[in-house]
Amino acid sequence: MATTQKALLIDITKCIGCQTCASACKEAHGTPGDPEPRLSETALTVVQEKDGKFVRKQCMHCEEPACASACLVGAITKSAQGPVVYDKSKCVGCRYCMMACPHSIPRYEWSKLAPYMKKCDMCSERVAAGKPTACAEACPVQATIFGDRDEILLEARKRVVNDPKYVPHIYGEREYGGSNMLFISDVEFDKLGFVIPKDDLPLPDVSKAALDEAPMVVLVGGTMLAGLYWITNRRREVLMAEAQKKTLRFPVMGDPEERS
Amino acid sequence: MEATKKPLFTMWRLILVAIFSAGAVATYLRFVVGWHAATNLSDAQPWGVWVGLSTLCGVGLSAGGFATAAAVYLLGMERYRPIVRPAILIAYLGYLSVCAGYVYELGLPWLAWHAFIYYNPHSVLFDVCFCILAYTTVLTIEFAPAIVEKLPWKGFRDTFMHWHHRLAVAVVLAGVLLSSMHQSFLGGLFLIFKGKIYPLWYTPHLTTMFYLSAIPAGLAMVVIALYLSNRSLGTKVDPEIIKEVAWVISPMLVLNLVWRMVDLVKHGGGPYLFLKRPETAYFWLEIALFIVIPVVMFNNRKIMNRPEGVYWTSAVVIAGFLTNRINVSINSLERATQANYFPKWPEMAIVVMMITGTVLVFRWAVIYLDILPKRVKVPTKRWMANAGVAANA
């Protein structure tokens, strides 16, 4: 990949819960107003208090997004720079992305008659123009920082290794195949409302495994059914031939023309 | 038919009017007022009964179509030829109602055609859509003779029947494959929710689970339709045949139980079997209704010797099947999503309207077309040709 992947590092130990990122996000996405307590069609990122800590919640921008693989019309794609973006002109509104997202992030414009999905787009236009995301730019204490994913990951590892207060884990490094949103914290992640997967297998692989079986099943099943039909047909032919033989032996029984 | 005078307003007609009025109001709420008025869907619960009942059960209960077609056309079980047509008709109407249901379910139904120009082959939902469209086409071809044989143009009729006869086996084979794929893929839809689905319902082989459970449920649907036609439409299907179809269901249910339990234990669902949680109750309700009670009833001679017994047993199978699909699509996600979803009345009104519509069209088809052998000859309409062959076979 020619372009480097961008990423955000969110250091939960540094966040002071000032909601500046949430307001900046609303400003950047054309829905200005007060920060909301929960994700909604107008709040694409929120800061929530969990276990005495302030935790940001928004799209994780997975490396292998379940939503993109689920999307019926391929409206959701992983862009080269990292953001998982949504092309609303393709969407048909099936909401499979919302169901598929392991973090339950996508929101729907339930109040509209022509509703679309809404989620954080990692300010893909700003990022493409070489600028950081609105939230990272706004953060007064550098709790959210923006950069190349390699460098961001290195920075995260440096902080976790050098300071014993951190939990020795970078959330998003490997979860569901990794993401472009990385979190470090001094409290266990499951206490902060993070989804802890049993394994790091990317979700698209799960449905891919089932889809990959299909051609084989169809081939084998089709051959078997065709074979069964051949047997059925052969038995019918034999029966007919035998019946005809009997008729020939007793021509009294009827006119062969009429019987066939 | 005797020209007895019937009252204009019978109880069933009033019920019909009530159902369709409710459906009309619900349609108005959904398309004019909005989602909040029509549904209890939310960001935590984006799929409700329109997926759980309309789609999953509509398709599942159509499985009798390909099962009987395969038995007769591919395996040569000629004895069951009289029930192929009604079974195909059930499947056809089932699929059409699923298509109609999507108009309500999709956020932007007028853009549904996007699925075929922006298709995403990695999406199980795309494969599901493809199968719906392809199998509905196959069903149209399979069912077409019932309508074509009633057309007044003899030349067209003969040509059509000639080609239909030559292609019948190929069409049936394609149908069996397509609908088998479709039944399985509906289970496949839920694979990507891994981690959200309660362990009692999650297995990497959800595809197999959906396939194995759809066939007995589809056959139960055929049994019910045949019994009701005999009872209220004056058709005369041999009750022995109905009984034999019902008889096949029982071993299939046992297979379902064995497979389900082995699979559950293998994939770590074992410890969840007896926890004190609502999910445990849903699970055992499903097993009781779908498998245990019907199997006991199917193997009770007293029940099986009466047509009503066969009918009610099949009805229990279907109730169990509905429970299973609702469990997989709604109840299993409850713990992860905390949605507390319960359908709002317009959601249910739409579902009930779809079912009623299906039943009504089935009824008209049985009356005006040759779907089932008839006891009483229905007065022939002007545009109708001779009675078709298939139904009298």
Side-chain angles (χ1 to χ4, degrees):
Chain A
M1 215 174 280
T3 28
T4 45
Q5 290 246 326
K6 302 293 176 188
L8 289 175
L9 175 64
I10 297 166
D11 190 333
I12 292 170
T13 63
K14 289 193 173 183
C15 183
I16 51 170
C18 65
Q19 306 276 2
T20 315
C21 53
S23 303
C25 174
K26 279 178 151 264
E27 199 73 47
H29 290 89
T31 53
D34 287 337
E36 297 174 39
R38 273 176 295 276
L39 286 181
S40 79
E41 56 193 88
T42 50
L44 309 183
T45 186
V46 290
V47 184
Q48 294 171 325
E49 198 178 341
K50 296 246 171 79
D51 207 37
K53 299 282 163 189
F54 296 105
V55 184
R56 279 191 63 189
K57 188 175 183 181
Q58 72 286 306
C59 175
M60 295 291 293
H61 298 279
C62 305
E63 303 264 309
E64 293 183 58
C67 55
S69 112
C71 183
L72 170 63
V73 289
I76 304 175
T77 43
K78 176 82 178 168
S79 59
Q81 284 184 303
V84 174
V85 290
Y86 165 67
D87 176 359
K88 69 186 258 185
S89 69
K90 289 183 177 176
C91 184
V92 298
C94 71
R95 309 189 293 285
Y96 193 25
C97 53
M98 307 178 67
M99 296 290 287
C101 175
H103 308 284
S104 305
I105 297 299
R107 291 297 181 262
Y108 205 57
E109 297 175 311
W110 296 107
S111 51
K112 297 191 178 159
L113 285 173
Y116 290 93
M117 185 271 278
K118 288 277 185 173
K119 73 167 191 67
C120 158
D121 61 347
M122 213 172 130
C123 296
S124 58
E125 281 169 21
R126 293 175 56 108
V127 169
K131 286 195 279 182
T133 61
C135 55
E137 196 179 64
C139 185
V141 292
Q142 262 84 62
T144 298
I145 56 170
F146 175 85
D148 291 352
R149 189 172 190 267
D150 300 344
E151 286 166 20
I152 286 283
L153 194 58
L154 214 63
E155 171 65 26
R157 217 168 272 152
K158 211 158 68 187
R159 289 190 199 175
V160 169
V161 170
N162 292 343
D163 195 337
K165 77 176 173 188
Y166 286 103
V167 176
H169 183 78
I170 303 169
Y171 190 93
E173 186 185 5
R174 273 191 258 279
E175 274 78 12
Y176 296 111
S179 60
N180 291 44
M181 210 52 86
L182 301 165
F183 287 86
I184 49 174
S185 160
D186 52 354
V187 177
E188 290 292 336
F189 284 100
D190 55 343
K191 285 190 190 131
L192 300 176
F194 284 82
V195 180
I196 311 296
K198 280 198 191 115
D199 51 53
D200 292 334
L201 195 69
L203 289 173
D205 289 3
V206 182
S207 42
K208 189 172 178 292
L211 287 176
D212 286 350
E213 276 173 19
M216 205 46 173
V217 172
V218 167
L219 211 66
V220 174
T223 315
M224 267 172 56
L225 286 173
L228 284 170
Y229 171 68
W230 184 82
I231 295 173
T232 307
N233 205 30
R234 183 72 194 136
R235 278 171 63 188
R236 189 181 291 143
E237 277 172 14
V238 170
L239 270 173
M240 293 289 267
E242 274 171 5
Q244 209 150 30
K245 234 188 255 168
K246 270 185 200 154
T247 336
L248 290 176
R249 220 183 298 153
F250 307 105
V252 189
M253 279 179 71
D255 181 5
E257 280 287 289
E258 205 176 78
R259 291 179 132 330
S260 61
Chain B
M1 204 181 274
E2 260 176 71
T4 43
K5 221 177 178 186
K6 280 185 184 162
L8 185 62
F9 292 107
T10 59
M11 183 186 68
W12 286 108
R13 280 187 185 163
L14 286 178
I15 293 177
L16 273 185
V17 170
I19 289 176
F20 282 102
S21 318
V25 175
T27 307
Y28 173 80
L29 289 174
R30 159 70 184 82
F31 291 107
V32 182
V33 183
W35 289 86
H36 289 303
T39 71
N40 275 340
L41 296 177
S42 62
D43 288 325
Q45 184 77 40
W47 282 5
V49 288
W50 287 342
V51 171
L53 281 176
S54 295
T55 308
L56 296 188
C57 298
V59 170
L61 295 177
S62 303
F66 84 84
T68 45
V72 172
Y73 281 90
L74 303 179
L75 306 182
M77 299 182 185
E78 285 298 324
R79 181 172 163 72
Y80 301 103
R81 192 170 284 267
I83 64 163
V84 172
R85 247 195 206 180
I88 299 255
L89 177 59
I90 292 170
Y92 190 31
L93 295 175
Y95 270 71
L96 289 180
S97 78
V98 168
C99 295
Y102 264 99
V103 174
Y104 291 87
E105 154 63 20
L106 289 180
L108 309 160
W110 55 91
L111 297 178
W113 49 272
H114 277 183
F116 298 98
I117 59 164
Y118 298 128
Y119 61 91
N120 170 15
H122 302 297
S123 166
V124 186
L125 190 60
F126 169 71
D127 293 80
V128 166
C129 283
F130 167 77
C131 288
I132 289 192
L133 198 78
Y135 189 51
T136 309
T137 312
V138 164
L139 283 167
T140 312
I141 300 172
E142 283 183 336
F143 186 68
I147 295 169
V148 171
E149 71 192 12
K150 296 290 183 196
L151 295 178
W153 316 297
K154 186 164 185 317
F156 172 73
R157 225 163 52 210
D158 290 349
T159 322
F160 182 88
M161 288 309 197
H162 172 75
W163 281 104
H164 193 272
H165 190 73
R166 296 190 70 164
L167 292 174
V169 171
V171 171
V172 168
L173 191 82
V176 172
L177 291 175
L178 277 171
S179 72
S180 300
M181 256 165 67
H182 189 195
Q183 300 288 354
S184 317
F185 281 157
L186 277 184
L189 278 183
F190 292 84
L191 288 175
I192 206 164
F193 309 163
K194 185 185 171 190
K196 282 190 186 176
I197 294 192
Y198 194 72
L200 285 175
W201 290 280
Y202 191 83
T203 139
H205 305 294
L206 266 169
T207 43
T208 317
M209 177 172 120
F210 268 56
Y211 186 60
L212 285 183
S213 54
I215 299 175
L219 289 177
M221 193 66 230
V222 173
V223 168
I224 286 188
L226 293 178
Y227 170 80
L228 288 178
S229 306
N230 269 2
R231 200 178 74 178
S232 67
L233 297 176
T235 60
K236 51 171 190 194
V237 184
D238 188 351
E240 279 303 305
I241 288 190
I242 304 186
K243 204 164 110 180
E244 284 163 30
V245 175
W247 232 97
V248 189
I249 300 175
S250 165
M252 283 180 182
L253 295 180
V254 175
L255 173 72
N256 261 285
L257 182 68
V258 174
W259 186 89
R260 204 53 205 284
M261 288 304 172
V262 171
D263 184 73
L264 200 72
V265 172
K266 213 176 113 194
H267 293 106
Y272 294 87
L273 277 174
F274 301 105
L275 291 182
K276 256 198 174 160
R277 287 178 177 179
E279 284 89 349
T280 319
Y282 298 140
F283 176 80
W284 287 111
L285 177 71
E286 168 192 331
I287 296 290
L289 284 177
F290 187 47
I291 298 170
V292 180
I293 298 174
V295 168
V296 171
M297 286 170 84
F298 276 131
N299 290 291
N300 182 320
R301 211 157 285 200
K302 251 191 197 159
I303 297 176
M304 282 299 272
N305 277 340
R306 292 150 51 93
E308 312 87 277
V310 178
Y311 166 72
W312 281 110
T313 313
S314 302
V316 178
V317 173
I318 290 185
F321 178 77
L322 301 185
T323 316
N324 167 265
R325 294 305 195 252
I326 288 288
N327 277 348
V328 172
S329 65
I330 295 171
N331 292 337
S332 75
L333 296 163
E334 188 70 45
R335 190 166 292 271
T337 60
Q338 299 289 329
N340 258 323
Y341 169 81
F342 192 82
K344 213 172 198 156
W345 77 262
E347 286 181 78
M348 285 315 289
I350 300 291
V351 172
V352 171
M353 183 172 73
M354 293 290 169
I355 298 169
T356 316
T358 313
V359 173
L360 267 189
V361 177
F362 184 85
R363 182 175 175 275
W364 288 329
V366 169
I367 293 175
Y368 295 112
L369 302 174
D370 291 314
I371 305 295
L372 288 164
K374 286 165 189 160
R375 183 178 297 142
V376 192
K377 211 160 167 51
V378 175
T380 335
K381 283 267 165 9
R382 229 175 338 115
W383 48 274
M384 285 180 162
N386 327 332
V389 254
N392 302 324

